[in-house]
Amino acid sequence: MPTLLRNLLVLAVEFGAAHLLRSPDPAPWIPVLLAVFVVGSGVLHGTDAEFVPRFLLAFVAVGVAWLGGAAGEATDSVPAAGAVTLLVIQTALLIRFSRRGPGSGRMGR
């Protein structure tokens, strides 16, 4: 259940960011993507994921939001395909690190 909640939280933030980045008025893209990065890196809180997995998940979340915003204006399907690919990677990362509880990593043995 925590995996589903974590994934839904990141998806909601990414959807909101993609919507803001797709709006006709100039969106403040730096604060929007920074907020996505912060949420993406904090969503693994409570697991024993270290800096690299948190950074990777946050970076992937920013990529999903950015490509999602670009997909609305693109005439080809490259941004949408990229966003879907990154969503699959993000979900795999979330599942992998959410299934391991706190203290079950290398440091907890």
Side-chain angles (χ1 to χ4, degrees), residues 26-43:
W29 62 273
I30 292 177
V32 168
L33 293 181
L34 182 61
V36 173
F37 188 87
V38 168
V39 170
S41 65
V43 79

Side-chain angles (χ1 to χ4, degrees), residues 18-84:
H19 181 70
L20 286 174
L21 294 172
R22 193 170 30 193
S23 69
D25 18 323
W29 62 273
I30 292 177
V32 168
L33 293 181
L34 182 61
V36 173
F37 188 87
V38 168
V39 170
S41 65
V43 79
L44 288 174
H45 183 72
T47 67
D48 57 349
E50 295 174 2
F51 176 76
V52 173
R54 288 178 186 267
F55 181 83
L56 182 60
L57 182 65
F59 189 71
V60 168
V62 168
V64 168
W66 182 70
L67 285 173
E73 300 173 5
T75 57
D76 55 359
S77 61
V78 173
V84 168

